[in-house]
Amino acid sequence: MKDYLILKKICKKIFLVGSGNFWYEESEIGNDDVILYKIFNYILFLVYALMTLLEIMAALIGDFPEDEKSDSVTFAVSHTIVMIKIFSVIWNKELVKKLIQDLISVCEIHEEEYLMKEKYNIMKINVIAYFITVYGSAACFVFEGLRKMLTGSHFVTAVTYYPSYDDNSLLATITRIFMTMALFMMMLTMIVSVDCFAVVILIMYKYKFITLKNYFQNLRLEFEAFDIQENCSGEKLLKGLIDGIIMHEKLLRISKDIDKAFGTVMALQLCQSSGSAVSLLLQIALSDQLTPVTAMKILFFVIALFFLLGLFLCNAGEITYQASLLSDSIFYCGWHLCPSQFPQRRNLGRLVLQACAQAQRPLVMKAFKMLELTYGTFLLVIRGTYSVFALFYAQNQ
């Protein structure tokens, strides 16, 4: 499937979940300036904000049992970060539109069918797996709420300041059910509008470098197919090389747009994954009264956090790796096979050297222009999280 169709499909889903129109073509998806859509958008995010505020109040001043208190802290921190992530993407909507347009256009005519299929399959696997982990975690919270209800307590998933723990009135029950529905809707908005959107952009960007690498390799094959004694073959190689260098420069500029549009999202996810994971793992390690469902909901939550972080950092690390392979492809594009009588052979050699020098500069995706998004960072976060967990666990023994 072409990038145009993939991103258009995603933008349609983003529009449907109330986050606005991110598509760069006017009137193709929908108008987010319509009054009814704006009302829907405002109500939706007002509910999210109200739920998050009540969770923060429950964490700070609420009077709840230990298990619900810990859940309120977990949700308060996580949902605050989720809200910031969502608003950071919406705030950069115009930049995202430009990013989508640029990402679709660069290398578009040189994309190969088998790479498109491979890319689309990887995207589907990543998105479906993340969807399962997130809603698996949410389902565990629902099961835990049902278990409490069956044991004589009340049903609860998202712990909010209102209703209080002792309030079992009809209004309190309706509020708890409504907050559960809001929680599931918020997760859908987060998945579609932010997390999977960013993952798809990173995967697509990675495959642009693979396409460009194949383009330079094909230049040599095309050059060798010509009679190398003819000047037309050299002219074709020179033109192809210049086109490839222009595409490479466009890709490098796109990396800055990705950083501006999604850098905040990835940086916050890094902080959330490491910080929340320590807190959640300590709950499992130090609590003596954990039920299997409670343990499952915590484990699913931790898995979801690190799975998303892995999607961000590993795909960003793969971008760095694929970009590093370009210099060899450029150097072996066939320029050295040009006959010595070709009038621009010397200029061609200089152009190749300059392009190789540019490609050898490591393209490292960053968040906040400080945090490197690489495989190494992912492993470092996992090791650091375990070290902090082990330290706190030892102190509490």
Side-chain angles (χ1 to χ4, degrees):
M1 185 180 287
K2 289 287 187 180
D3 294 343
Y4 177 90
L5 297 176
I6 294 172
L7 289 173
K8 188 174 182 180
K9 187 177 180 180
I10 292 174
C11 288
K12 283 181 180 178
K13 288 179 170 53
I14 293 174
F15 182 80
L16 291 175
V17 297
S19 298
N21 183 6
F22 283 81
W23 192 241
Y24 62 92
E25 294 176 332
E26 296 294 334
S27 304
E28 282 288 322
I29 290 179
N31 186 2
D32 53 3
D33 289 326
V34 175
I35 294 177
L36 287 177
Y37 188 85
K38 282 190 173 182
I39 292 173
F40 168 64
N41 177 269
Y42 291 151
I43 291 175
L44 192 65
F45 283 96
L46 182 62
V47 170
Y48 295 163
L50 179 62
M51 181 177 69
T52 305
L53 178 61
L54 290 174
E55 288 169 344
I56 294 172
M57 292 175 65
L60 294 176
I61 58 176
D63 184 15
F64 294 96
E66 183 181 350
D67 59 337
E68 291 193 10
K69 189 71 172 180
S70 62
D71 284 347
S72 69
V73 173
T74 300
F75 277 130
V77 174
S78 298
H79 291 171
T80 300
I81 292 175
V82 167
M83 291 294 289
I84 296 172
K85 285 163 59 176
I86 293 173
F87 282 119
S88 71
V89 175
I90 294 175
W91 180 264
N92 291 307
K93 184 166 69 172
E94 295 304 319
L95 176 62
V96 173
K97 287 182 179 181
K98 178 180 177 297
L99 170 62
I100 290 173
Q101 185 176 10
D102 293 343
L103 195 59
I104 289 172
S105 61
V106 67
C107 302
E108 183 179 15
I109 61 175
H110 304 291
E111 290 174 341
E112 298 168 289
E113 186 64 28
Y114 80 95
L115 277 180
M116 295 299 99
K117 290 181 180 179
E118 179 184 302
K119 174 180 63 180
Y120 185 61
N121 289 333
I122 289 176
M123 287 177 180
K124 284 199 299 184
I125 292 170
N126 280 269
V127 170
I128 292 172
Y130 179 58
F131 185 89
I132 291 172
T133 56
V134 170
Y135 275 97
S137 174
C140 286
F141 278 91
V142 173
F143 293 149
E144 176 66 8
L146 292 173
R147 185 195 66 81
K148 288 181 178 179
M149 187 175 67
L150 293 175
T151 57
S153 183
H154 51 253
F155 173 80
V156 63
T157 52
V159 181
T160 53
Y161 183 71
Y162 177 83
S164 62
Y165 178 74
D166 297 326
D167 190 352
N168 292 316
S169 63
L170 178 62
L171 180 60
T173 303
I174 293 173
T175 302
R176 291 187 180 106
I177 295 173
F178 177 76
M179 289 301 175
T180 301
M181 295 170 61
L183 171 65
F184 274 75
M185 188 62 195
M186 187 185 202
M187 294 300 99
L188 184 62
T189 303
M190 176 193 73
I191 291 171
V192 175
S193 304
V194 181
D195 295 337
C196 289
F197 194 19
V199 169
V200 166
I201 292 290
L202 290 175
I203 294 173
M204 200 170 285
Y205 187 52
K206 173 186 71 176
Y207 272 88
K208 292 295 182 180
F209 280 101
I210 296 175
T211 299
L212 185 58
K213 181 186 68 175
N214 292 346
Y215 169 80
F216 282 115
Q217 291 173 349
N218 291 333
L219 271 183
R220 175 169 180 165
L221 298 177
E222 292 176 5
F223 180 72
E224 290 175 343
F226 279 89
D227 183 354
I228 61 173
Q229 299 300 322
E230 296 181 5
N231 284 341
C232 64
S233 61
E235 294 287 351
K236 184 176 178 64
L237 178 63
L238 179 61
K239 182 181 181 302
L241 182 61
I242 292 173
D243 290 342
I245 292 172
I246 292 172
M247 286 187 285
H248 185 217
E249 289 177 349
K250 288 180 179 179
L251 284 176
L252 294 178
R253 285 198 296 269
I254 286 174
S255 70
K256 297 178 181 178
D257 290 338
I258 293 176
D259 178 38
K260 292 177 183 176
F262 297 103
T264 301
V265 171
M266 291 182 275
L268 288 174
Q269 187 59 43
L270 194 151
C271 298
Q272 182 188 11
S273 296
S274 56
S276 297
V278 171
S279 172
L280 293 168
L281 290 173
L282 283 173
Q283 287 183 37
I284 296 177
L286 300 178
S287 179
D288 298 327
Q289 299 178 344
L290 278 183
T291 64
V293 177
T294 304
M296 282 294 295
K297 77 177 183 181
I298 294 175
L299 285 175
F300 258 102
F301 201 97
V302 173
I303 290 170
L305 290 174
F306 276 107
F307 186 74
L308 177 60
L309 183 65
L311 289 180
F312 284 157
L313 297 187
C314 292
N315 280 305
E318 188 67 17
I319 290 170
T320 301
Y321 172 70
Q322 294 297 337
S324 69
L325 300 178
L326 270 180
S327 59
D328 286 346
S329 298
I330 294 172
F331 187 78
Y332 293 109
C333 68
W335 67 276
H336 56 289
L337 299 176
C338 278
S340 57
Q341 63 268 28
F342 179 59
Q344 299 189 42
R345 188 178 191 277
R346 181 175 296 179
N347 293 336
L348 185 60
R350 289 175 180 172
L351 192 62
V352 167
L353 291 177
Q354 290 174 358
C356 287
Q358 186 180 41
Q360 284 176 340
R361 296 174 187 170
L363 175 63
V364 180
M365 305 296 292
K366 292 184 178 181
F368 292 151
K369 298 182 179 179
M370 296 183 298
L371 300 172
E372 293 188 352
L373 307 176
T374 62
Y375 292 112
T377 303
F378 182 55
L379 296 176
L380 187 64
V381 169
I382 293 177
R383 287 199 298 265
T385 301
Y386 178 76
S387 298
V388 174
F389 161 72
L391 177 63
F392 280 110
Y393 179 72
Q395 288 179 341
N396 284 275
Q397 289 299 305

